[in-house]
């Protein structure tokens, strides 16, 4: 009997030991980030402190391009492009055009957003949000370059409560906008290619209009008409007329579009008609907004355009639009941001106030608005700020996003921080990645996080990624080689295009580290100079890899339309294989 009891106890001990080992092994494959802190400190804000009646421009810093805005009563809602980010189309709410709260995302379900195999510069382009008072419904119309969807519309009675699944629209082209007339009729306008055989030059585009059936939620077949062919002055071969919006004022219809391409020549132009279907006549003083004339300058804002108008709380019109703030090497790492300006529409034609001179970093608040609460009481911050996240809230802040798939598929918040279960997907792949991203919002910033993680093999890695795209990024993380834990810094960049494109990765540096206590990781940038640092066991931060260039984190080098994303990254498909240092 004693032998039997010993045997039973031995078996029980072996089972418990095996379960514990399995449990520890499972834990080792989880990456737990205890907290993250983002600090932005740009000189422009130090040099331009706010007065009591002022607020900063841009109102949304970082990658929030192609803004569109609408109003219902005293409530303003604004959206921006999100490409392959998941959830898609961030949506903001305000009562005064100064203080904004992110209330969620329009496209937050897999049934709405099918970007799992989309490159980062694909997915959702140029959303347009409009409120229809005739059926008390909000519409968001956009182009989804993924999932075989194309142009689509979603609807809601209440933007705080979520949106419908997409309704695919039966027309080609991009940048659709929707307009609701005073008689209850609806129209859709969009950018398209010229009729077959009529393209005159590269970049030649047209604006089309359709009648829209509100009962069927579909354009009316056969009603399409070209209302702008090329742009304001066809004799000058204008390029990329796009992002159209129609407004009605004093019985006339105004068509506002971007022209010149979303780069150095970007601008906003306006046309007028006595009927929504045209004929549209351009204003004699176009463009009504641009920054293309001014060259390099201090606190430079450029590429202004892709605008939308709304009547403000003071009875004056305002326009939101995209712009960029390049760093000292003329590189665009923060991406296209959302700006706002008052619009003078006291005469026949609207004009952005001070939109044809170099833009200033701050504005007067609308008349009657007395409080600037940005960064307080849940309002979105701008200017210089510090944002700290301990990941202990039940609901993760909306600023944290995934890429090509939902955050919830790979992460959960715990009492110790956010736990990421790594996918067998490398950051170089065009698949959903197990990465929580935060947008870079300043030229001068630091981003610091503490990681608790012990990789089991060289296939495991967790840490940070600074990403412009799947082919242009830095990875800064810990992996295992033999019995050693190594911290590695890798630079990835592509050369060539199409089938000739080649992606090259270079290990900048690596060092052996102790992971039996959490490791602190940091990336910081001073304009175009990026540095990666680490600290173990609560020690001082040490640099790894010296100063590296932010060139591959700019749209100038990487292309596309996004800004730099800073990610908390974990993978079980690591391919960074340094030798022992």
């Amino acid at each position: 009997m004693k032998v039997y009891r010993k045997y039973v106890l031995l078996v029980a001990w072996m089972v418990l030991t095996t379960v514990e080992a399995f449990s520890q092994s499972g834990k080792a494959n989880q990456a737990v980030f205890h907290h993250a802190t983002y600090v932005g400190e740009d000189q422009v804000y130090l040099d331009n402190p706010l007065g009591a009646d002022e607020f900063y421009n841009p109102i949304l810093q970082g990658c929030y391009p192609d803004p569109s805005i609408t109003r219902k009563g005293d409530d303003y809602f604004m959206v921006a492009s999100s490409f392959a980010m998941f959830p898609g189309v961030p949506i903001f709410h305000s009562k005064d055009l100064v203080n904004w709260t992110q209330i969620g995302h329009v496209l937050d379900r897999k049934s709405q957003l099918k970007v799992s195999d989309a490159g980062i510069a694909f997915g959702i382009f140029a959303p347009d949000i409009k409120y229809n008072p005739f059926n008390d419904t909000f519409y968001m119309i956009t182009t989804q370059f993924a999932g075989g969807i194309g142009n689509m519309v979603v609807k809601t009675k209440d933007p705080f409560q979520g949106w419908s699944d997409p309704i695919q629209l039966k027309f080609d082209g991009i940048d659709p906008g929707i307009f609701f007339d005073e008689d209850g009729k609806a129209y859709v306008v969009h950018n398209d290619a010229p009729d077959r055989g009529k393209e005159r030059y590269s970049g030649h585009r047209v604006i089309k209009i359709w009648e829209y059936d509100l009962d069927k939620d579909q354009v009316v077949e056969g009603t399409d008409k070209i209302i702008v062919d090329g742009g304001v002055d066809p004799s000058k071969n204008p390029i990329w007329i796009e992002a159209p919006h129609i407004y009605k004022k004093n019985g006339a219809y105004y068509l506002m579009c971007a022209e010149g391409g979303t780069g150095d020549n970007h601008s906003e132009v306006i046309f007028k008609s006595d009927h929504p279907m045209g004929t549209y006549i351009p204003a004699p003083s176009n463009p009504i907004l641009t920054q293309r004339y001014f060259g390099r300058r201090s606190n430079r804002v450029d590429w202004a355009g892709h605008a939308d108008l709304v009547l403000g709380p003071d009875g004056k019109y305002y326009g939101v639009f995209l712009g960029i703030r390049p760093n000292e090497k003329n590189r665009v790492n923060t991406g296209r941001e959302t700006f706002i300006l008052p619009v003078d529409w006291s005469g026949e034609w609207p004009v952005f106030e001070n939109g044809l001179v170099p833009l200033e970093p701050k504005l007067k608040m609308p008349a009657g608005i007395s409080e600037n609460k940005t960064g307080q009481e849940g309002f979105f911050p701008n200017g210089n700020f510090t944002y700290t996240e301990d990941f202990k809230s039940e609901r993760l802040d909306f600023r944290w996003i995934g890429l090509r798939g939902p955050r919830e598929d790979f992460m959960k918040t715990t009492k110790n921080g956010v736990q990421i279960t790594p996918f067998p997907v490398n950051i170089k792949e065009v698949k959903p990645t197990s990465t929580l991203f935060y947008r870079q919002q300043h030229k001068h910033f630091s981003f610091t996080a503490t990681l608790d993680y012990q990789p089991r093999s060289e296939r495991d890695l967790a840490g940070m990624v600074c990403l412009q795209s799947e082919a242009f990024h830095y990875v800064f993380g810990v992996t295992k080689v033999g019995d050693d834990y190594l911290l590695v810094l890798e630079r990835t960049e592509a050369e060539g295009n199409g089938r000739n494109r080649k992606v090259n990765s270079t290990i900048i540096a690596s060092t052996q580290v102790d992971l039996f206590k959490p490791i602190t990781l940091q990336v910081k940038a001073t304009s175009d100079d990026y540095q990666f640092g680490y600290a173990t066991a609560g020690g001082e931060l040490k640099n790894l890899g010296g100063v590296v260039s932010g060139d591959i984190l700019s749209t100038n080098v990487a292309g596309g339309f996004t800004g730099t994303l800073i990610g908390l990254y974990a993978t079980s498909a690591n391919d960074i294989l340094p030798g022992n240092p």
Side-chain angles (χ1 to χ4, degrees), residues 16 89 173 330 381 383 527 530 538:
L16 287 171
V89 188
N330 199 36
S527 187
Y530 285 67

Side-chain angles (χ1 to χ4, degrees), residues 37 79 82 169 187 196 222 260 269 277 283 296 329 342 365 392 395 400 444 482 488 509 520:
T37 301
V79 295
S82 56
L169 300 174
Y187 301 85
R196 184 172 296 181
V269 297
M277 299 291 286
R296 295 198 180 188
K329 290 192 177 179
M365 292 193 288
K392 292 182 180 178
R395 189 185 74 180
W400 295 95
H444 301 254
V488 297
T520 297

Side-chain angles (χ1 to χ4, degrees), residues 1-12:
M1 180 64 69
K2 289 183 179 179
V3 173
Y4 176 73
R5 287 178 63 189
K6 287 182 179 178
Y7 174 75
V8 170
L9 289 172
L10 177 62
V11 170

Side-chain angles (χ1 to χ4, degrees), residues 383-497:
N384 286 333
F385 60 84
T386 296
Y387 166 60
T388 299
E389 176 62 74
D390 62 10
F391 300 110
K392 292 182 180 178
S393 299
E394 268 187 42
R395 189 185 74 180
L396 187 60
D397 193 284
F398 292 125
R399 283 172 279 190
W400 295 95
I401 53 173
L403 183 59
R404 306 186 190 94
R407 308 172 302 181
E408 293 74 18
D409 284 357
F410 61 83
M411 57 71 61
K412 65 178 181 179
T413 55
T414 72
K415 64 180 181 179
N416 294 321
V418 64
Q419 178 179 290
I420 296 180
T421 300
F423 289 160
V425 175
N426 194 286
I427 200 72
K428 300 180 180 76
E429 297 183 79
V430 184
K431 296 178 181 179
T433 70
S434 41
T435 318
L436 271 182
F437 284 106
Y438 184 93
R439 293 165 173 87
Q440 179 182 333
Q441 297 177 289
H442 297 79
K443 303 171 192 175
H444 301 254
F445 78 92
S446 66
F447 181 92
T448 309
T450 300
L451 169 65
D452 192 354
Y453 177 69
Q454 291 184 12
R456 295 197 302 254
S457 75
E458 63 186 22
R459 298 292 288 168
D460 295 332
L461 179 142
M464 288 184 182
V465 58
C466 289
L467 179 136
Q468 179 63 226
S469 76
E470 53 274 2
F472 292 89
H473 55 259
Y474 286 102
V475 171
F476 183 50
V478 291
T479 186
K480 190 175 185 182
V481 176
D483 294 328
D484 297 323
Y485 296 126
L486 297 184
L487 177 64
V488 297
L489 175 61
E490 181 188 68
R491 172 186 169 104
T492 294
E493 57 191 309
E495 59 182 26
N497 294 299

Side-chain angles (χ1 to χ4, degrees), residues 152-168:
M152 53 171 269
V153 66
V154 293
K155 304 187 297 181
T156 186
K157 293 286 187 179
D158 183 355
F160 291 94
Q161 298 299 321
W163 295 70
S164 71
D165 277 348
I167 301 165
Q168 288 184 259

Side-chain angles (χ1 to χ4, degrees), residues 521-537:
L521 302 176
Q522 183 187 80
V523 57
K524 65 178 181 179
T526 304
S527 187
D528 195 60
D529 295 334
Y530 285 67
Q531 296 184 62
F532 295 85
Y534 70 100
T536 57

